[in-house]
Amino acid sequence: MLERIEALVGIAYDPRRMDCADLAMQVQQQVFGREVLLPGRRPRPLDSAAQAREIAAMSAQLADPVQYPQDGDAVLMREVGATHAGHIGTYFFLNYTPYVLHVAAWMQGGSTLHRLQELSGLGLTVEGYYRWK
């Protein structure tokens, strides 16, 4: 599995073609063989509380909250200063350490696998974990 994950590191962010949700869908397909489809008309890029509420309503149809994440679960995050969660990544437990694979406009070098404990230093707060339906 590690080789498939590493193949998804370094993918460049593009607000119209490869945002954090697009990467999450690609991870599900390429690493887990799951077809997760988000609505094509979802707000891109996310830039308002109204858009966040719309995405939250969609997410209830796509995933269920879980207390203890497993490989492949979605990690919903909030950026510093934001009033709502608007960033998603994928959880992995590798070498006895929890990681999140994600991509954002501010991430130089493209998608990255960060240790869960490093997220606060990047200005991110984990809002919850979700298992795809």
Side-chain angles (χ1 to χ4, degrees):
M1 176 167 47
L2 186 56
E3 288 179 11
R4 288 180 285 185
I5 296 167
E6 289 175 341
L8 294 166
V9 171
I11 296 173
Y13 174 86
D14 181 327
R16 300 286 172 215
R17 288 184 220 97
M18 182 54 69
D19 63 8
C20 58
D22 293 311
L23 179 64
M25 288 186 299
Q26 189 170 344
V27 168
Q28 292 305 308
Q29 181 182 36
Q30 291 184 10
V31 177
F32 299 100
R34 298 181 197 133
E35 201 63 36
V36 174
L37 298 175
L38 297 177
R41 64 172 237 9
R42 74 184 191 274
R44 299 168 73 102
L46 178 65
D47 60 6
S48 75
Q51 289 174 329
R53 284 190 298 274
E54 184 179 344
I55 287 178
M58 291 177 206
S59 67
Q61 300 169 9
L62 300 170
D64 294 316
V66 294
Q67 186 173 1
Y68 302 105
Q70 297 175 1
D71 286 350
D73 286 348
V75 181
L76 193 59
M77 297 164 273
R78 180 176 41 86
E79 295 183 35
V80 167
T83 58
H84 53 275
H87 186 58
I88 190 171
T90 304
Y91 178 92
F92 291 100
F93 193 73
L94 305 167
N95 298 322
Y96 305 101
T97 305
Y99 285 87
V100 176
L101 178 63
H102 62 126
V103 68
W106 50 266
M107 293 171 64
Q108 295 179 356
S111 58
T112 305
L113 195 59
H114 281 114
R115 288 186 180 125
L116 191 66
Q117 67 190 32
E118 296 173 338
L119 294 178
S120 62
L122 300 171
L124 296 168
T125 301
V126 173
E127 294 289 309
Y129 304 101
Y130 296 84
R131 185 138 317 130
W132 298 104
K133 293 183 179 183

